[in-house]
mmCIF file of all heavy atoms in Angstrom:
data_model
loop_
_atom_site.group_PDB
_atom_site.id
_atom_site.type_symbol
_atom_site.label_atom_id
_atom_site.label_comp_id
_atom_site.label_asym_id
_atom_site.label_seq_id
_atom_site.Cartn_x
_atom_site.Cartn_y
_atom_site.Cartn_z
ATOM 1 N N GLY A 308 -122.309 -169.014 -253.830
ATOM 2 C CA GLY A 308 -121.204 -168.665 -254.722
ATOM 3 C C GLY A 308 -119.987 -168.140 -253.982
ATOM 4 O O GLY A 308 -119.016 -167.721 -254.598
ATOM 5 N N HIS A 309 -120.023 -168.151 -252.632
ATOM 6 C CA HIS A 309 -118.857 -167.705 -251.877
ATOM 7 C C HIS A 309 -117.814 -168.818 -251.815
ATOM 8 O O HIS A 309 -118.149 -169.978 -251.629
ATOM 9 C CB HIS A 309 -119.242 -167.319 -250.444
ATOM 10 C CG HIS A 309 -120.024 -166.054 -250.357
ATOM 11 N ND1 HIS A 309 -121.376 -166.013 -250.571
ATOM 12 C CD2 HIS A 309 -119.642 -164.785 -250.103
ATOM 13 C CE1 HIS A 309 -121.802 -164.759 -250.445
ATOM 14 N NE2 HIS A 309 -120.759 -163.995 -250.162
ATOM 15 N N LYS A 310 -116.535 -168.409 -251.920
ATOM 16 C CA LYS A 310 -115.439 -169.337 -251.684
ATOM 17 C C LYS A 310 -115.404 -169.565 -250.179
ATOM 18 O O LYS A 310 -115.346 -168.600 -249.407
ATOM 19 C CB LYS A 310 -114.153 -168.591 -252.051
ATOM 20 C CG LYS A 310 -113.200 -169.277 -252.984
ATOM 21 C CD LYS A 310 -111.924 -168.419 -252.953
ATOM 22 C CE LYS A 310 -111.045 -168.633 -254.116
ATOM 23 N NZ LYS A 310 -109.738 -167.998 -253.964
ATOM 24 N N THR A 311 -115.456 -170.815 -249.742
ATOM 25 C CA THR A 311 -115.451 -171.044 -248.304
ATOM 26 C C THR A 311 -114.636 -172.291 -247.940
ATOM 27 O O THR A 311 -114.119 -172.978 -248.831
ATOM 28 C CB THR A 311 -116.906 -171.137 -247.753
ATOM 29 O OG1 THR A 311 -116.868 -171.109 -246.333
ATOM 30 C CG2 THR A 311 -117.628 -172.395 -248.224
ATOM 31 N N ARG A 312 -114.488 -172.536 -246.638
ATOM 32 C CA ARG A 312 -113.824 -173.745 -246.144
ATOM 33 C C ARG A 312 -114.586 -174.210 -244.926
ATOM 34 O O ARG A 312 -115.071 -173.396 -244.143
ATOM 35 C CB ARG A 312 -112.376 -173.428 -245.737
ATOM 36 C CG ARG A 312 -111.502 -173.096 -246.924
ATOM 37 C CD ARG A 312 -110.281 -172.324 -246.524
ATOM 38 N NE ARG A 312 -109.374 -172.137 -247.639
ATOM 39 C CZ ARG A 312 -108.475 -171.154 -247.727
ATOM 40 N NH1 ARG A 312 -108.368 -170.258 -246.767
ATOM 41 N NH2 ARG A 312 -107.691 -171.057 -248.767
ATOM 42 N N ARG A 313 -114.691 -175.539 -244.763
ATOM 43 C CA ARG A 313 -115.423 -176.079 -243.623
ATOM 44 C C ARG A 313 -114.452 -176.415 -242.507
ATOM 45 O O ARG A 313 -113.432 -177.069 -242.742
ATOM 46 C CB ARG A 313 -116.190 -177.328 -244.049
ATOM 47 C CG ARG A 313 -117.144 -177.043 -245.214
ATOM 48 C CD ARG A 313 -117.966 -178.249 -245.604
ATOM 49 N NE ARG A 313 -117.231 -179.488 -245.500
ATOM 50 C CZ ARG A 313 -117.779 -180.651 -245.140
ATOM 51 N NH1 ARG A 313 -119.076 -180.716 -244.841
ATOM 52 N NH2 ARG A 313 -117.043 -181.739 -245.066
ATOM 53 N N LEU A 314 -114.798 -175.987 -241.300
ATOM 54 C CA LEU A 314 -113.922 -176.241 -240.156
ATOM 55 C C LEU A 314 -113.651 -177.744 -239.993
ATOM 56 O O LEU A 314 -112.537 -178.144 -239.641
ATOM 57 C CB LEU A 314 -114.556 -175.664 -238.889
ATOM 58 C CG LEU A 314 -113.562 -175.290 -237.809
ATOM 59 C CD1 LEU A 314 -112.636 -174.196 -238.287
ATOM 60 C CD2 LEU A 314 -114.277 -174.845 -236.545
ATOM 61 N N VAL A 315 -114.675 -178.576 -240.279
ATOM 62 C CA VAL A 315 -114.467 -180.026 -240.121
ATOM 63 C C VAL A 315 -113.357 -180.529 -241.052
ATOM 64 O O VAL A 315 -112.566 -181.402 -240.669
ATOM 65 C CB VAL A 315 -115.765 -180.859 -240.364
ATOM 66 C CG1 VAL A 315 -116.715 -180.732 -239.188
ATOM 67 C CG2 VAL A 315 -116.432 -180.486 -241.669
ATOM 68 N N ASP A 316 -113.275 -179.986 -242.264
ATOM 69 C CA ASP A 316 -112.212 -180.419 -243.195
ATOM 70 C C ASP A 316 -110.850 -179.930 -242.712
ATOM 71 O O ASP A 316 -109.847 -180.647 -242.798
ATOM 72 C CB ASP A 316 -112.467 -179.862 -244.604
ATOM 73 C CG ASP A 316 -113.744 -180.406 -245.215
ATOM 74 O OD1 ASP A 316 -114.148 -181.526 -244.851
ATOM 75 O OD2 ASP A 316 -114.353 -179.704 -246.053
ATOM 76 N N ILE A 317 -110.831 -178.693 -242.223
ATOM 77 C CA ILE A 317 -109.579 -178.106 -241.726
ATOM 78 C C ILE A 317 -109.023 -178.961 -240.585
ATOM 79 O O ILE A 317 -107.850 -179.339 -240.576
ATOM 80 C CB ILE A 317 -109.837 -176.639 -241.286
ATOM 81 C CG1 ILE A 317 -110.129 -175.785 -242.528
ATOM 82 C CG2 ILE A 317 -108.681 -176.074 -240.465
ATOM 83 C CD1 ILE A 317 -110.671 -174.396 -242.239
ATOM 84 N N LEU A 318 -109.912 -179.305 -239.646
ATOM 85 C CA LEU A 318 -109.457 -180.109 -238.496
ATOM 86 C C LEU A 318 -109.061 -181.516 -238.931
ATOM 87 O O LEU A 318 -108.100 -182.092 -238.427
ATOM 88 C CB LEU A 318 -110.555 -180.163 -237.424
ATOM 89 C CG LEU A 318 -110.902 -178.801 -236.807
ATOM 90 C CD1 LEU A 318 -112.051 -178.936 -235.808
ATOM 91 C CD2 LEU A 318 -109.680 -178.175 -236.140
#
Side-chain angles (χ1 to χ4, degrees):
H309 289 82
K310 231 190 200 190
T311 191
R312 291 159 174 156
R313 303 183 323 146
L314 206 63
V315 285
D316 296 333
I317 291 168
L318 296 177

